Amino acid sequence: AFSLFETLAGIAASGTTLLLAEQNVRLAASLASHALILDRGRITARHSGDALRADPALAQSAGTAQSADRSSP
């Protein structure tokens, strides 16, 4: 079966720019040249896709980034 990410990888490889909002950091990083990490709609970090792919700890922290105070909007 051909997955959505395989389809997106083919589109990206053809030179088309993609904007992807995805919670699975590892899958998103496999396609990304740039990554913005959001928490409650705010950018909390910026990384290259290469940095996320090369550093599992960075990808893990990006995937679990949360505000210190989740009680306020």
Side-chain angles (χ1 to χ4, degrees):
F2 205 64
S3 77
L4 174 61
F5 272 88
E6 289 169 328
T7 301
L8 292 173
I11 293 168
S14 75
T16 299
T17 299
L18 300 174
L19 174 62
L20 178 66
E22 175 57 54
Q23 293 182 356
N24 186 321
V25 176
R26 287 192 178 105
L27 283 175
S30 71
L31 297 175
S33 59
H34 299 84
L36 300 177
I37 309 304
L38 302 175
D39 183 19
R40 296 179 3 198
R42 293 195 169 101
I43 297 171
T44 59
R46 297 170 192 255
H47 301 288
S48 69
D50 289 340
L52 288 175
R53 288 187 291 275
D55 186 347
L58 179 59
Q60 175 70 22
S61 68
T64 58
Q66 294 183 359
S67 293
D69 178 13
R70 299 296 266 173
S71 61
S72 63

